[in-house]
Amino acid sequence: MAAAAGVSPSSLLRLRLPSPQPAASPPSSSPALLRRRAPHPLLSLAAAPSRASVAAAAAAADSSNGNGSYSGNGSQASLMPQLNGLMLDESSRSKRPYKWQRVLLKVSGEALAGDHTENIDPKVTMAIAREVASVTKLGVEVAIVVGGGNIFRGASWAGCSGLDRSSADYIGMMATVMNAIFLQATMESIGIPTRVQTAFRISEVAEPYIRRRAIRHLEKGRVVIFAAGTGNPFFTTDTAAALRCAEINAEVVLKATNVDGVYDANPKHNPNARILETVSYNEVISRDLSVMDMTAVTLCQENNIPVVVFNLQNTGNIAKAIVGEKVGTFIGCTRNLEYRESTDGSLDQEDKILVSEW
């Protein structure tokens, strides 16, 4: 019909299509146009308050009976009571029922042997796991360094059958790995996420020691067991405990042994030996008290790391030591000095000990 009316299809198509709009000219960079251009609606929300609104806010603050007051600089003083309350709540939540936030527990290999019928006593490892589990629920971060004396002690075997000291110490390091894997299995059996990190690579059974990864494990609530000592011969696991404690920023070294604490003499040879509640680093070094090797004591002293020595066999001692209760012997640096009475009742000026902050 369109052809019969004398209108071609192309002309009909042109009639139906809308006329093209003229192309928009590029935005002008003229300063005058920029000043006249309206601000973006989102930017207008963040615009500064007008003088009228500031005056109204000041009048409302003056007429209110609350603690807030207008400071004259346009700040929202009415929010101050709420902020103060929030700060009080956060400060109250920061109070914790335990003394230490991150601790390093040193477990000697001999303590793991228990009654010495076997190299490792499963009852001892389970007792350790349960007490560690009770404190990790409070939010305490726990790292553990294990010894290997229940399986192999390098210093004792050096020189036997041509075994040099370095090789003997490496064998002792592998003994600590065996104890660490056993303790890890015990902890995970009761639901404690645990990671073992070794000073030398044994990738098939444990992670290599990486400081930042270890700290991240602790922040996630996992227990980290450090094995293989420092990875170097001629260094004890006590030195490894002091070193790892300083590296991961732990607050205390808890040394779990088979004795109740530090004695002023060897209780096996002297029946009158008495346990010391608090001891200074200098006293440990000068009197050669058999607590830790001198390298470990010096490292703790230089980094201001306290040490708590207690008996592992007494039930509940681990949890008590971790939460900061008085147990065993406290060795460390505190602010207050006190003279201790000597055996004849007089005050010995040279016999000083540091009083702990229990």
Side-chain angles (χ1 to χ4, degrees):
M1 296 177 61
V7 181
S8 62
S10 58
S11 61
L12 183 60
L13 182 61
R14 286 195 300 268
L15 293 175
R16 292 179 179 177
L17 290 176
S19 59
Q21 298 293 332
S25 60
S28 174
S29 58
S30 173
L33 292 178
L34 292 176
R35 285 194 299 267
R36 290 195 301 267
R37 194 166 295 161
H40 193 277
L42 293 179
L43 295 178
S44 62
L45 295 177
S50 62
R51 295 183 179 179
S53 60
V54 171
D62 293 337
S63 60
S64 61
N65 295 325
N67 295 328
S69 61
Y70 182 70
S71 59
N73 57 358
S75 60
Q76 296 180 358
S78 59
L79 293 179
M80 292 302 295
Q82 290 84 346
L83 292 177
N84 292 335
L86 179 61
M87 294 171 62
L88 291 175
D89 293 339
E90 290 179 353
S91 62
S92 62
R93 282 194 294 266
S94 64
K95 296 180 180 179
R96 58 195 187 195
Y98 42 87
K99 185 178 183 68
W100 317 109
Q101 171 64 32
R102 179 179 296 169
V103 303
L104 189 138
L105 175 64
K106 168 60 171 60
V107 180
S108 64
E110 294 179 352
L112 291 176
D115 55 4
H116 296 278
T117 57
E118 298 289 343
N119 289 335
I120 303 178
D121 190 349
K123 296 180 181 178
V124 175
T125 58
M126 182 57 70
I128 295 173
R130 287 175 177 171
E131 293 195 37
V132 171
S134 65
V135 296
T136 54
K137 294 178 181 179
L138 299 176
V140 182
E141 301 172 2
V142 181
I144 302 175
V145 171
V146 291
N150 57 322
I151 300 175
F152 191 91
R153 188 177 295 277
S156 302
W157 286 89
C160 298
S161 301
L163 186 65
D164 61 277
R165 174 63 186 274
S166 297
S167 300
D169 284 346
Y170 282 120
I171 297 174
M173 294 177 202
M174 289 185 282
T176 66
V177 177
M178 298 168 64
N179 287 335
I181 295 174
F182 195 103
L183 186 58
Q184 179 191 30
T186 305
M187 289 190 171
E188 290 185 340
S189 67
I190 60 174
I192 306 176
T194 310
R195 300 292 184 270
V196 174
Q197 291 193 350
T198 57
F200 50 75
R201 290 186 177 273
I202 313 179
S203 303
E204 289 77 10
V205 296
E207 300 178 2
Y209 170 68
I210 300 175
R211 173 182 171 273
R212 295 177 65 89
R213 179 181 293 179
I215 294 176
R216 186 57 178 163
H217 285 322
L218 295 173
E219 292 174 347
K220 290 184 177 180
R222 300 165 183 162
V223 174
V224 181
I225 303 176
F226 299 117
T230 64
N232 300 293
F234 302 98
F235 290 96
T236 65
T237 51
D238 287 341
T239 303
L243 177 63
R244 296 291 184 251
C245 182
E247 286 183 310
I248 66 174
N249 301 321
E251 300 173 78
V252 63
V253 173
L254 306 176
K255 183 175 172 60
T257 63
N258 289 327
V259 295
D260 294 331
V262 181
Y263 290 84
D264 57 356
N266 192 337
K268 295 181 180 180
H269 303 138
N270 186 359
N272 296 324
R274 59 192 179 92
I275 190 171
L276 305 175
E277 293 185 356
T278 56
V279 184
S280 68
Y281 290 122
N282 293 331
E283 187 175 5
V284 172
I285 297 174
S286 62
R287 299 177 61 176
D288 194 18
L289 299 177
S290 300
V291 183
M292 307 168 72
D293 62 274
M294 293 299 102
T295 305
V297 174
T298 304
L299 186 58
C300 290
Q301 183 180 18
E302 291 178 350
N303 293 276
N304 196 19
I305 300 174
V307 181
V308 179
V309 183
F310 61 95
N311 195 333
L312 177 64
Q313 298 178 358
N314 295 340
T315 304
N317 270 2
I318 294 179
K320 291 179 181 179
I322 290 177
V323 299
E325 294 185 15
K326 188 175 182 179
V327 59
T329 301
F330 180 90
I331 308 170
C333 297
T334 53
R335 299 182 181 87
N336 299 324
L337 288 170
E338 179 177 290
Y339 296 112
R340 188 182 60 215
E341 289 188 4
S342 59
T343 54
D344 57 357
S346 61
L347 290 178
D348 188 358
Q349 295 289 340
E350 300 298 331
D351 193 14
K352 298 178 181 180
I353 62 173
L354 290 170
V355 179
S356 63
E357 297 175 354
W358 294 102

